[in-house]
Amino acid sequence: MSALMQITWLASYPRSGNTFLRSILFNCFGLKSGSIYPNDLGGNKSLESFVGHIEHGENKTIRFPNTIPLIKTHDLNKDDSQSIYVIRDGRATCVSFWNYYGKKISMKDIILGNHMFGKWSDHVTSWHPKKRNKTLLLKYEEMVDNFEITLGSISAFLEQDIISKKLPSRETVAKSDGKWVRSKTDWRAEISSEELDLFNEVNYPVLKEYGYGG
């Protein structure tokens, strides 16, 4: 990636819908994207094709065929570059994260941020997408339920035309992956009342601020 190119971060806490966003950018706008993490999708070529993923080349560089360098990150905010931030209900995110790691990390440790990505609320606070300059905030739930509105928001923000309003179904993609993209589940069935109490104890102010307090 050239230092002269102004990147756009595709930022989120893990398991919040970043892969879904990237698939929208590719399938609906023709925009490919990279990631700060090498081998980001585990070498799954089918998923890479669906997402429009560009893998790192020599010297850890990413060569973009489009004029907008779009880079996925789960890191905390580090600069003032343009960004699209995807937020998802932190309770659903933690359950999805727990499943992603094969339940080898306890739900308690995930909630408390005892892993490389830290707490859900700390990540949201770091990016502060409601007030951060040059930032489009997308809620995962609205991306799913109000797809065409989401396309309009992305189109206006990136100043890019919509070329398609269709995506392969989630189930189709899940069958070829199952890790980054899973079949739809209900997080409420996989988290205990004690774990919910702990989540609220450490995350509730941010959860409520972004409309997930119910």
Side-chain angles (χ1 to χ4, degrees):
M1 180 177 63
S2 170
L4 297 176
M5 301 176 74
Q6 182 65 38
I7 67 172
T8 294
W9 293 119
L10 306 178
S12 69
Y13 190 76
R15 312 305 300 163
S16 296
N18 208 307
T19 300
F20 183 40
L21 170 62
R22 295 177 70 194
S23 68
I24 291 172
L25 290 168
F26 179 55
N27 289 275
C28 300
F29 294 91
L31 298 173
K32 291 190 173 185
S33 58
S35 170
I36 66 169
Y37 312 108
N39 196 34
D40 181 69
L41 297 175
N44 184 328
K45 298 302 181 184
S46 176
L47 184 59
E48 288 180 1
S49 177
F50 170 71
V51 171
H53 173 70
I54 310 169
E55 188 50 64
H56 289 220
E58 296 180 1
N59 302 318
K60 298 183 179 180
T61 58
I62 305 173
R63 296 186 178 276
F64 290 91
N66 37 268
T67 57
I68 305 176
L70 302 164
I71 305 285
K72 166 187 171 178
T73 182
H74 293 318
D75 287 4
L76 298 178
N77 186 32
K78 297 176 181 177
D79 60 29
D80 61 355
S81 297
Q82 177 171 279
S83 69
I84 299 176
Y85 190 90
V86 182
I87 190 171
R88 182 185 184 188
D89 186 323
R91 298 163 295 187
T93 298
C94 285
V95 170
S96 183
F97 203 178
W98 182 55
N99 279 287
Y100 177 82
Y101 279 110
K103 304 179 181 179
K104 294 178 182 178
I105 301 176
S106 72
M107 184 71 77
K108 179 179 179 180
D109 280 334
I110 290 172
I111 291 170
L112 294 175
N114 295 329
H115 51 82
M116 66 182 291
F117 296 108
K119 287 193 303 183
W120 174 82
S121 56
D122 287 346
H123 194 278
V124 177
T125 301
S126 171
W127 283 88
H128 210 332
K130 278 189 173 182
K131 295 186 177 180
R132 188 179 184 276
N133 290 332
K134 300 180 292 184
T135 298
L136 173 64
L137 171 62
L138 296 176
K139 297 183 77 169
Y140 171 77
E141 296 81 6
E142 293 176 357
M143 292 168 68
V144 173
D145 294 337
N146 299 301
F147 185 63
E148 291 203 14
I149 293 176
T150 296
L151 292 184
S153 297
I154 294 172
S155 176
F157 183 73
L158 295 179
E159 298 181 345
Q160 296 288 309
D161 293 333
I162 301 167
I163 62 173
S164 174
K165 295 184 178 181
K166 295 182 179 180
L167 287 176
S169 72
R170 174 175 178 164
E171 291 302 317
T172 298
V173 181
K175 287 178 181 178
S176 69
D177 176 41
K179 184 174 182 179
W180 278 268
V181 180
R182 300 170 58 234
S183 297
K184 186 176 181 180
T185 57
D186 184 354
W187 61 267
R188 295 170 183 81
E190 298 188 70
I191 190 169
S192 69
S193 59
E194 292 81 6
E195 290 162 345
L196 275 176
D197 288 343
L198 177 62
F199 182 91
N200 287 332
E201 181 181 338
V202 298
N203 293 294
Y204 188 76
V206 176
L207 194 74
K208 184 178 180 181
E209 179 184 356
Y210 284 85
Y212 296 111

